Amino acid sequence: EPRLVESGGGLVQPGGSLRLSCAASGITFSSHVMIWVRQAPGKGPERISSIDTGGSITYYVDSVKGRFTISRDNAKDMLYLQMNSLKPEDTAVYYCARNIDYPSNRNYWGQGTQVTVSL
């Protein structure tokens, strides 16, 4: 069964940076397009970034483009999200997931990591 564990969230001031990590197990990680999803308070989940199996094709929603960078290490079964120039509107719980499990198979997402951007 898929198991995804996120880490790296926290409280950061506007303009700051965080790097999220996601450790995958129970899946053939290198065979899956992986995504980062965030859910802000009172809002639905939003897929903000994706990366293809080889790590060469990436996608970003406009609101994070130029500030966030997704990457993966297939040798370590790890997914990353480097977040720079953080804004208060980036405050959310961040989840990693397989693209095939979005949006319906939420049971297979990670548990999430809280990112709070505030003074």
Side-chain angles (χ1 to χ4, degrees), residues 29-106:
F29 179 76
S30 60
S31 297
H32 291 282
V33 174
M34 298 298 295
I35 65 174
W36 285 98
V37 178
R38 70 183 180 186
Q39 187 164 14
K43 296 187 177 180
E46 175 188 28
R47 178 171 48 194
I48 60 169
S49 185
S50 67
I51 188 166
D52 76 324
T53 56
S56 59
I57 301 173
T58 57
Y59 158 82
Y60 301 95
V61 69
D62 284 347
S63 59
V64 308
K65 200 173 293 183
R67 300 187 298 121
F68 290 10
T69 303
I70 190 171
S71 62
R72 66 191 296 162
D73 185 338
N74 285 342
K76 296 181 179 180
D77 293 349
M78 293 291 295
L79 180 72
Y80 304 101
L81 186 68
Q82 178 67 44
M83 306 187 296
N84 299 329
S85 302
L86 283 162
K87 304 176 180 180
E89 52 262 43
D90 295 317
T91 295
V93 179
Y94 285 70
Y95 302 89
C96 66
R98 298 181 300 179
N99 192 53
I100 59 171
D101 292 324
Y102 180 84
S104 302
N105 292 336
R106 191 153 181 166

